Amino acid sequence: VETTEFVDLGTVKVALPTTQAIQLLNRGKYDVAFNFKMAKKLSEVIKLSPMDGVLKPKDKASVELLFSTKKEIVLNNNQELDIHFSEPRTNEQIGAAPMPISVKAFFNKYLLTPAHGINFGPCLFNAKKTATFEITNQGPFEIQYRLFSLKDGLPVDTPPIVDEKDKKGAKKPPPKKGDKNATQQELVIGKFAIGPSSGLIPVKG
């Protein structure tokens, strides 16, 4: 039986489920049963569907591997997942092989400077004064940000997060008619105007 040799999910975001297919092919002349077994700790972050089955001669099967974690984790050529083969009628073991898995799961990380508010100092009456703050991307993923007034609550038209793999070649949706936020780059809260109010911060940006 031929199988996918290893699973490399790359670098993914914590709490964002990631899937990959494991391919199986029975090149023999007889039916072969397969069954995946993994360590308990690994089963907390990885689910397989189906976990077992029977391959007829020249038959193919695709097993979906789902990875999902709520905390940062790094698996480097982890070999706690095995696939076992047996004779379907007698359950006689034919063989087994490890299915190495590699994945790095991280949170988005950013640094806000200054961290404890902005001090404009003395200001002349009826005169404008500018101050700045910085959002630094310290993680391995791009960060979308959008400023809003806490008094008004979360914006109803907050753009969805787009995965880096999916956004390549994807066209941006046209702005909705009558949507002021579609073109507005400045957020006004009382006497303060902040801009740009939204944007995309690249890795190490």
Side-chain angles (χ1 to χ4, degrees), residues 5-16:
E5 294 182 359
F6 62 90
V7 176
D8 187 357
L9 298 172
T11 303
V12 301
K13 296 178 182 177
V14 171
L16 186 65

Side-chain angles (χ1 to χ4, degrees), residues 119-130 191-192:
N119 185 2
F120 283 87
C123 298
L124 293 174
F125 176 74
N126 206 29
K128 293 182 179 180
K129 192 169 185 179
T130 302
K191 302 295 183 181
F192 298 94

